[in-house]
């Protein structure tokens, strides 16, 4: 084979024949020839594979069409086997009883034989790169028809009787949801519930038991949808499987439990946060999904209006002060804080965060996990962090007066501090701090900005169409009558396959950025009401949440109904 490769190199000029001969001569004979050449620093992977294809007389495929992978291959060959050996089967057009197996290791004869045995078809080899094969494997296995209904029926037929040994079958550190071949029914069922949630871009899965059924619900873009109804009999099995995955105690059914684990969907890694609580009809589970592959948002991807983005950017270069981000649970506060930290993270600054829990790992930043059981709450952690010579501190949440006071005092000693509060709007955050018991002079001298935010669903770009809002809706949104907005176009989503008939796809933020000027500082010091502070901020040019929502409606980003759903009327 060595001689044949060298002859092909001389004949075609694909690679330098002398360099190839020299490399093969110097290499030891322990490694298989294809593996050896694929690690060679002189030649790229595609050149080596083209050389093998020409020498062996096989087809070289630079790209593999995803629709060419037949269902027989997906059902017969486990995803983990295909991923481990970097191979995928495609159907040749001319012969139905034959399968073309595309390899990235041309001399892996054992893998070819095994695929032939698994599928019961004769195989013909072809060659492609690892990247091309991996991407088509993920798509092919994701697009397989989900087997939830079949598996649920299979479990019903056994009346939920299944051994614990099967339930705990092969729980690994990071289970692959694509790998459902030859797994017990309950494992296939739970994997498919998770798989479907990821397909729908769900952020949470609810397993909700009722008297006569189990309701599986997905939260997609902040809204809960009923997705699936299962037989009541399978509840103990489903909940126990979820507990096993999350490392929880499956024997304990009378107390709430929390756990976490990771699952894989091909090349995507997804973190799961699992919570179970006992209810009158059995244990209820909620799974929070954190897809690591989506990555962090940049500050310019959050949906901040251009003017607000410039204002916020100018605040991030300040050496001291407190910036609070406010809003209800699930309004994207953590995402905004991460984006801010990412923007200022640099070699010259020491950035430390105190979080509960740590949602995403940030490169170059020290992140501390709060552990209340060990006495490490936000306040005590902050006290220790101040001895670590930080420039920027992020405190996950201000829940009590001690944390609030320490965060504010930290800013006065020359640190830029970020934190979150649960209030309805930016002016309400000031009242909340004063109500907690923080002295007005501390609040007024340390605060530099408060950002209130909400998440609104974006109109699906694939089924977007013009729609006319009512006069009442326009007045509610603060846009006056239609005669004032005569040139404006308003959009809604009609519903399509890409947005799962909802008319919405993805979310963006709407923001209320209140900068603390001297006048507002004076009002805080005098303990004036949130309404008074808001009025002065509006006079200074602040845009409220509803005003920012109206801007995004006029820009065709979201709908009138969506902004009215998540914001309150501006009463000053």
């Amino acid at each position: 084979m060595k001689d044949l490769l060298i002859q092909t190199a001389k004949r075609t000029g694909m690679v330098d024949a002398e360099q190839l001969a020299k490399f093969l001569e110097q290499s030891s004979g322990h490694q298989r020839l294809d593996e050896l050449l694929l690690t060679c620093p002189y030649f790229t992977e595609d050149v080596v594979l083209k050389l093998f294809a020409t020498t062996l007389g096989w087809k070289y495929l630079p790209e593999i069409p995803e629709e060419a992978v037949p269902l027989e291959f997906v059902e017969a060959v486990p995803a983990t086997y295909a991923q481990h050996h970097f191979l995928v089967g495609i159907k040749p057009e001319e012969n139905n009883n034959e399968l073309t197996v595309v390899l990235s290791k041309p001399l892996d004869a054992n893998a070819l034989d095994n695929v032939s045995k698994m599928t019961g078809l004769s195989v013909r080899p072809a060659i492609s790169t690892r990247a091309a094969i991996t991407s088509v494997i993920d798509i092919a296995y994701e697009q397989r028809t989900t087997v939830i209904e079949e598996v649920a029926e299979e479990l019903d037929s056994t009346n939920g009787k299944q051994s614990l040994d099967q339930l705990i079958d092969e729980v690994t550190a990071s289970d692959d949801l694509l790998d459902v071949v030859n797994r017990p029914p309950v494992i296939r069922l739970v994997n498919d519930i998770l798989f479907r949630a990821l397909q729908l871009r769900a952020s949470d899965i609810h397993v909700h038991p009722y008297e006569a059924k189990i309701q599986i619900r997905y939260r997609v873009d902040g809204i809960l949808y009923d997705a699936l109804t299962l037989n009541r009999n399978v509840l103990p099995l489903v909940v126990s499987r979820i507990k096993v995955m999350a490392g929880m105690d499956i024997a304990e059914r009378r107390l709430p439990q929390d756990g976490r684990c990771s699952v894989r969907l091909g090349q995507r890694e997804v973190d799961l946060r699992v919570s179970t609580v006992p209810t009158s009809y059995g244990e209820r589970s909620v799974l929070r999904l954190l897809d690591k592959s989506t990555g962090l948002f940049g500050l310019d991807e959050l949906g901040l209006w251009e003017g607000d983005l410039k204002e916020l950017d100018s605040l991030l270069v300040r050496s001291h002060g407190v910036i609070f981000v406010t809003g209800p649970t699930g309004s994207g506060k953590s995402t905004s804080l991460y984006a801010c930290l990412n923007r200022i993270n640099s070699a010259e600054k020491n950035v430390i965060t105190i979080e509960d829990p740590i949602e995403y790992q940030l490169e170059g930043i020290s992140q501390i996990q709060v552990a209340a059981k060990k006495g490490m709450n936000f306040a005590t952690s902050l006290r220790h962090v101040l001895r670590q010579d930080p420039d920027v501190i992020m405190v996950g949440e201000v829940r009590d007066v001690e944390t609030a006071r320490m965060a504010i005092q930290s800013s006065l000693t020359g640190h830029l501090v970020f934190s979150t509060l649960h209030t309805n709007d930016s002016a309400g955050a000031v009242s909340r701090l004063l109500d907690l018991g923080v002295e007005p002079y501390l609040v007024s001298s340390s605060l530099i900005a408060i950002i209130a935010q909400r998440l609104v669903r974006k109109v699906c770009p694939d089924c977007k169409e013009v729609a006319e809002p009512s006069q009442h809706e326009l007045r509610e949104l603060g846009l006056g009558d239609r005669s004032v907005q005569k040139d404006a176009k308003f959009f809604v989503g009609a519903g399509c396959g890409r947005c799962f008939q909802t008319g919405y796809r993805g979310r963006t933020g709407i923001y209320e950025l209140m900068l603390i000027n001297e006048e507002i500082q004076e009002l805080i010091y005098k303990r004036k009401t949130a309404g008074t502070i808001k009025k002065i901020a509006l006079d200074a040019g602040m845009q409220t949440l509803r005003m920012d929502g109206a801007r995004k409606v006029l820009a065709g980003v979201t709908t009138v109904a969506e902004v009215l759903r998540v914001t309150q009327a501006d009463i000053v």
Side-chain angles (χ1 to χ4, degrees), residues 14 18 28 52 57 105-106 108 146 155 159 168 181 214 224 247 255 281 297 321 397 402 450-451 457 480 486 511 527:
M14 281 184 186
E18 284 184 28
S28 62
F52 269 105
K105 295 176 183 175
D108 196 351
T146 51
L155 274 173
N159 290 319
I168 302 176
V181 180
I214 307 166
L224 268 175
L255 293 173
Y281 295 122
F297 287 97
E397 191 183 332
E402 190 184 1
I450 300 169
I451 306 161
R457 293 178 294 170
K486 47 182 180 236
Y511 298 89
R527 284 184 177 269

Side-chain angles (χ1 to χ4, degrees), residues 12 116 118 197 243 248-249 279 332 378 456 509:
T12 61
S116 182
M118 289 177 201
K243 284 183 174 179
M248 293 150 74
D249 182 0
T279 71
F378 281 113
V456 291

Side-chain angles (χ1 to χ4, degrees), residues 44-107:
T44 59
E45 181 194 21
D46 61 326
V47 166
V48 169
L49 293 175
K50 281 174 186 171
L51 184 68
F52 269 105
T54 308
T55 305
L56 295 166
W58 297 351
K59 264 188 185 177
Y60 175 80
L61 304 172
E63 289 180 357
I64 306 165
E66 58 199 56
E67 64 277 2
V69 182
L71 197 59
E72 300 98 297
F73 178 83
V74 174
E75 288 176 344
V77 180
T80 43
Y81 187 85
Q83 287 163 343
H84 180 71
H85 291 278
F86 293 101
L87 58 83
V88 70
I90 59 172
K91 266 288 188 199
E93 293 171 13
E94 61 276 4
N95 191 343
N96 281 333
N97 296 319
E98 193 174 58
L99 185 73
T100 298
V101 178
V102 188
L103 301 152
S104 70
K105 295 176 183 175
L107 303 182

Side-chain angles (χ1 to χ4, degrees), residues 159-305:
N159 290 319
K161 290 174 186 168
Q162 192 177 20
S163 72
L164 198 61
D165 295 341
Q166 277 188 307
L167 192 69
I168 302 176
D169 172 62
E170 302 167 35
V171 177
T172 58
S174 189
D175 220 359
D176 193 339
L177 303 181
L178 297 178
D179 186 18
V180 293
V181 180
N182 301 324
R183 304 296 288 274
V186 69
I187 293 177
R188 281 155 52 208
L189 175 63
V190 173
N191 277 13
D192 263 35
I193 288 169
L194 288 165
F195 172 79
R196 192 177 281 189
L198 290 168
Q199 274 191 320
L200 292 167
R201 312 180 322 278
S203 60
D204 300 84
I205 304 169
H206 291 236
V207 180
H208 194 160
Y210 290 92
E211 188 176 6
K213 65 177 182 179
I214 307 166
Q215 192 69 53
I216 307 294
R217 308 171 85 195
Y218 295 143
R219 188 179 293 280
V220 182
D221 291 336
I223 307 292
L224 268 175
Y225 297 97
D226 288 346
L228 186 70
T229 304
L230 300 176
N231 192 305
R232 181 82 177 71
N233 295 340
V234 303
L235 179 67
L237 284 175
V238 170
V239 173
S240 295
R241 171 61 186 167
I242 290 168
K243 284 183 174 179
V244 166
M245 289 173 72
M248 293 150 74
D249 182 0
I250 60 171
E252 181 54 77
R253 295 180 179 177
R254 294 167 300 171
L255 293 173
Q257 291 189 67
D258 293 314
R260 61 183 299 170
C261 64
S262 287
V263 294
R264 278 186 302 113
L265 182 66
Q267 301 302 304
R268 282 164 69 190
E269 189 87 18
V270 181
D271 268 351
L272 299 180
R273 299 258 161 70
V274 182
S275 168
T276 63
V277 293
T279 71
S280 54
Y281 295 122
E283 283 186 285
R284 177 192 167 111
S285 300
V286 175
L287 295 84
R288 164 67 57 90
L289 282 70
L290 293 168
D291 191 347
K292 292 179 181 177
S293 67
T294 55
L296 292 168
F297 287 97
L299 206 57
D300 51 355
E301 297 174 294
L302 297 178
L304 281 157
W305 209 253

